[in-house]
């Protein structure tokens, strides 16, 4: 969410009515999340000036660990230097820390492609935004899910119940530090996640949703202490419930 919001912001800056705008003091502390959108807190160091040049050798974009040769345009300006400077800063301050983590395994190669392409400046901001929107579409639609055996049949579902909230086993990347709370596309995906975790004996699908509209599911090591909750469904492994009275 943070990276996509940043890319949308940089897309606007690259195509603003004032021309391509570069953020000269590009640091994470210069941004803040407001209602799920990343915003710049200080525009004092923004500029629409693009580096003047006489030849291509005048247009090297230098960073501490990398340099990129750019073209000198016919009007004597380094082509796309503001856009590329913003994009590489996004790569080194945000993408490298956020993109490799927490995505479903099937989507990680696509995010790795974005990471590598922006790190080498093979993508401009238009291509980067398009690539992010493709990943978001796959994520929201569930199209990233690979065909696998149906596992939900191995679970008993109880509508209108959930377990008592409390600290349980933890997983990555959980929305709660007290247990294992993950976003899912469907109960079938939740069953696959539960089967992949040795501690998991049950999971609860709630009405709470993430910014993408995906429901949250709580994965737990037991299924006792059920309490009524009209907005939840608890799924219990048949193997865990055998011999017990529901």
């Amino acid at each position: 969410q943070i990276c996509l919001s940043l890319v949308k912001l940089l897309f606007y800056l690259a195509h603003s009515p004032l021309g391509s705008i570069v953020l000269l003091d590009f640091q994470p502390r210069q941004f803040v999340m407001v209602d799920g959108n990343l915003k710049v807190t200080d525009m004092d160091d923004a500029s629409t000036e693009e580096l003047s040049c006489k030849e291509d050798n005048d247009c090297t974009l230098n960073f501490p660990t990398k340099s990129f040769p750019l073209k000198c345009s016919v009007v004597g300006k380094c082509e796309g230097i503001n856009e590329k400077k913003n994009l590489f800063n996004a790569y080194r301050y945000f993408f490298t820390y956020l993109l490799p983590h927490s995505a479903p395994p099937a989507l990680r190669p696509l995010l790795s492609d974005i990471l590598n392409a922006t790190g080498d400046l093979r993508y401009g901001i238009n291509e980067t935004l398009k690539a992010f929107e493709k990943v978001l579409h796959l994520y929201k639609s569930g199209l990233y899910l690979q065909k696998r055996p149906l596992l939900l049949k191995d679970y008993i579902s109880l509508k209108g119940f959930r377990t008592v909230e409390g600290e349980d086993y933890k997983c990555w990347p959980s929305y709660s530090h007290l247990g294992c709370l993950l976003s899912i596309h469907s109960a079938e995906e939740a069953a696959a996640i539960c089967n992949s975790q040795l501690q998991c004996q049950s999971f609860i699908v709630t009405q709470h949703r993430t910014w993408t509209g995906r429901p949250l599911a709580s994965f737990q090591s037991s299924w006792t202490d059920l309490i009524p909750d009209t907005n939840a469904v608890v799924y219990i492994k048949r193997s865990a419930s055998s011999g017990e009275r529901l």
Side-chain angles (χ1 to χ4, degrees):
Q1 182 182 12
I2 293 172
C3 291
L4 175 62
S5 187
L6 176 59
V7 169
K8 289 181 177 179
L9 173 61
L10 297 187
F11 179 85
Y12 173 78
L13 294 179
H15 301 286
S16 83
L18 300 176
S20 183
I21 299 175
V22 63
L23 301 176
L24 299 175
D25 186 18
F26 198 115
Q27 300 283 342
R29 64 174 179 267
Q30 299 283 22
F31 300 89
V32 65
M33 290 291 284
V34 179
D35 296 329
N37 295 306
L38 205 67
K39 296 184 181 294
V40 184
T41 60
D42 186 0
M43 293 292 290
D44 289 346
D45 294 309
S47 174
T48 58
E49 292 295 322
E50 291 194 309
L51 186 64
S52 297
C53 57
K54 292 183 179 179
E55 57 184 25
D56 290 349
N57 289 338
D58 297 328
C59 292
T60 301
L61 183 55
N62 292 310
F63 292 95
T65 58
K66 280 189 176 183
S67 296
F68 301 95
L70 304 180
K71 296 290 185 181
C72 182
S73 71
V74 293
V75 295
K77 298 289 184 181
C78 296
E79 288 185 356
I81 190 168
N82 287 353
E83 172 187 331
K84 293 180 185 297
K85 195 169 188 177
N86 284 340
L87 190 54
F88 189 79
N89 277 328
Y91 159 80
R92 66 179 180 142
Y93 287 118
F94 287 88
F95 297 172
T96 54
Y97 297 104
L98 300 177
L99 286 188
H101 310 292
S102 77
L107 292 178
R108 288 174 191 167
L110 297 178
L111 293 177
S112 180
D113 288 345
I114 294 174
L115 192 64
N116 293 332
T118 53
D120 295 333
L121 287 184
R122 288 184 284 111
Y123 280 0
I125 192 62
N126 294 358
E127 295 86 355
T128 303
L129 179 58
K130 185 177 180 180
F132 266 103
E133 288 179 336
K134 176 183 177 181
V135 174
L136 179 63
H137 171 68
L138 294 173
Y139 185 59
K140 292 174 69 173
S141 65
L143 292 173
Y144 69 91
L145 293 170
Q146 301 170 344
K147 289 185 177 180
R148 63 183 75 184
L150 298 178
L151 302 173
L152 198 59
K153 65 181 186 304
D154 298 328
Y155 289 77
I156 297 169
S157 65
L158 294 174
K159 294 182 179 180
F161 289 93
R162 64 174 174 83
T163 57
V164 176
E165 292 183 6
E167 190 167 348
D168 207 320
Y169 77 90
K170 299 173 176 61
C171 66
W172 176 260
S174 177
Y175 283 81
S176 170
H177 67 281
L178 296 176
C180 185
L181 184 66
L182 303 173
S183 75
I184 58 170
H185 176 259
S186 63
E188 186 63 53
E189 183 183 16
I193 293 172
C194 188
N195 276 27
S196 70
Q197 299 174 344
L198 293 177
Q199 306 99 315
C200 186
Q201 296 297 315
S202 66
F203 62 89
I204 303 156
V205 178
T206 70
Q207 295 296 312
H208 298 292
R209 295 182 178 270
T210 68
W211 67 280
T212 59
R214 289 162 56 98
L216 290 174
S218 176
F219 298 85
Q220 301 182 335
S221 58
S222 67
W223 57 271
T224 56
D225 299 326
L226 296 179
I227 58 175
D229 186 339
T230 57
N231 295 318
V233 182
V234 60
Y235 293 84
I236 304 165
K237 280 185 177 179
R238 292 183 184 275
S239 57
S241 65
S242 60
E244 302 284 348
R245 293 175 63 100
L246 290 179

